Amino acid sequence: MFDATPSWSEIDHVLLDMDGTVLDLAFDNYFWRELVPRRYALAAGLTPEQALSELLSRLSGVEHSLSRYSIDYWSEITGLDLSALEREVRDRVAFRGGSAAFLEAVRASGRSLWLVTNAPPTSCRMKLEQVGLDAVFDVVISSHELGVPKEDAVFWRRLQAQRPFPVERALFADDSLPVLRAARDHGIAHLVAMRQPDSTRPEREIAEFPSAACLGALLPL
Ligand SMILES: [Mg+2]
């Protein structure tokens, strides 16, 4: 495991994942692993454990596809309005440690700041508004708009075609190793893996990429 120490003089383009990188994955873990199974269990007459195990088995069938990240897909599976449920608990959406200061520093430095997420556009907008980030990023890209998730090489080719950016002068931070591999294969020069996407869970050991517990650890620029 090695700490990311970006060479900032070689970077003028910063791309960040949302959930688990800018925002605390504690929200998503609570939502998908506790609240949704509990509500689904009530609606379907299952125990919460049965509901969770059914959802997890469905999940394994759509891993690394857009459906896995689609609120509409899971609403259909469960028969619940999950967009409404997400809004119901929106006050739990929170920054991961040091994110606010990091974003401020990147903006103050004049670098381009992009958000690149697998979250659907509505969910993404709701979360960014909730933490006051709706006007902070120069560009916000949801993979749902490009038709493939970030872990797919096609995503990066389409992004590059629609919005060209210099891969050799770009830094990209994400908590998903499959996503980071796709970004590396695409040629993005500076990669950071987030070791502790959920502040309530322990740090992970990551050997494959330079890593940081949270964005705050990358300061100062
Ligand atoms: Mg993430």
Side-chain angles (χ1 to χ4, degrees):
M1 192 157 87
F2 54 112
D3 285 326
T5 51
S7 310
W8 288 107
S9 64
E10 296 165 17
I11 296 163
D12 42 37
H13 212 92
V14 176
L15 289 80
L16 302 173
D17 165 52
M18 183 170 72
D19 301 319
T21 301
V22 173
L23 301 182
D24 199 328
L25 200 65
F27 174 86
D28 308 271
N29 284 333
Y30 161 74
F31 186 77
W32 292 106
R33 289 171 183 275
E34 289 181 42
L35 186 60
V36 171
R38 208 158 66 217
R39 295 291 178 93
Y40 179 44
L42 272 178
L46 303 168
T47 67
E49 294 73 26
Q50 286 170 331
L52 178 62
S53 103
E54 192 190 316
L55 292 173
L56 288 175
S57 93
R58 295 267 192 178
L59 181 66
S60 66
V62 291
E63 204 63 77
H64 305 307
S65 76
L66 271 186
S67 296
R68 184 228 182 285
Y69 306 102
S70 163
I71 295 263
D72 291 345
Y73 173 81
W74 293 105
S75 292
E76 213 174 295
I77 295 283
T78 58
L80 303 169
D81 182 349
L82 296 183
S83 282
L85 189 56
E86 201 177 42
R87 283 195 300 278
E88 197 180 307
V89 291
R90 62 189 291 165
D91 58 332
R92 285 175 171 258
V93 176
F95 283 113
R96 184 65 191 89
S99 289
F102 179 79
L103 294 171
E104 207 170 294
V106 172
R107 284 208 61 96
S109 75
R111 292 178 174 87
S112 301
L113 182 57
W114 292 15
L115 187 81
V116 185
T117 181
N118 273 335
T122 45
S123 177
C124 175
R125 270 196 302 276
M126 182 277 282
K127 286 177 169 176
L128 294 182
E129 273 170 30
Q130 183 63 24
V131 292
L133 284 183
D134 37 330
V136 166
F137 295 96
D138 300 304
V139 172
V140 174
I141 297 129
S142 163
S143 57
H144 297 256
E145 293 158 339
L146 296 190
V148 273
K150 291 188 291 179
E151 46 270 64
D152 192 319
V154 173
F155 170 85
W156 295 97
R157 287 204 294 272
R158 284 188 188 161
L159 176 61
Q160 192 76 59
Q162 285 188 11
R163 295 180 176 276
F165 65 96
V167 288
E168 71 286 352
R169 300 216 31 107
L171 175 138
F172 174 56
D174 203 298
D175 61 311
S176 159
L177 298 183
V179 169
L180 286 163
R181 286 178 199 123
R184 177 180 61 197
D185 294 346
H186 185 69
I188 294 181
H190 306 271
L191 298 166
V192 180
M194 307 314 294
R195 285 203 296 269
Q196 196 187 18
D198 178 334
S199 66
T200 67
R201 296 186 180 193
E203 286 191 24
R204 306 172 295 167
E205 286 281 338
I206 296 175
E208 198 179 338
F209 295 97
S211 60
C214 62
L215 289 178
L218 300 178
L219 290 172
L221 297 193

